[in-house]
Amino acid sequence: RRGWDFVSTGRGDVPWEECFRALNHIGYDGPISIEWEDAGMDRLHGAPEALAYIRSLNAITPPDAAFDAAFSSES
């Protein structure tokens, strides 16, 4: 017994959305590699679920222009 266990991506305390937003903010466009390890969940269920979760976050893309620019009177 230990004070923590690995859990499937998206089910624990890691702020994944914040991580992806930070990567987008700095313009990172390289590969994403996340290890899946959850002893309490069958891998045939957990791994595809974790992949879908990460793909949904990776779809968060920053806008092409600053938010305020959308309200500019100049074209």
Side-chain angles (χ1 to χ4, degrees):
R1 293 255 189 232
R2 56 183 181 235
W4 54 272
D5 285 306
F6 291 111
V7 295
S8 190
T9 304
R11 293 181 173 263
D13 297 329
V14 175
W16 288 109
E17 184 172 343
E18 290 177 33
C19 295
F20 276 85
R21 286 178 179 265
L23 291 171
N24 285 337
H25 180 73
I26 64 169
Y28 180 79
D29 65 355
I32 302 295
S33 177
I34 298 173
E35 179 181 350
W36 183 86
E37 188 173 335
D38 187 334
M41 181 182 291
D42 184 271
R43 64 187 169 90
L44 296 178
H45 172 80
E49 177 188 78
L51 178 60
Y53 177 76
I54 291 300
R55 282 183 171 159
S56 75
L57 293 179
N58 198 34
I60 298 173
T61 56
D64 292 330
F67 176 78
D68 294 345
F71 300 102
S72 174
S73 60
E74 298 176 21
S75 297

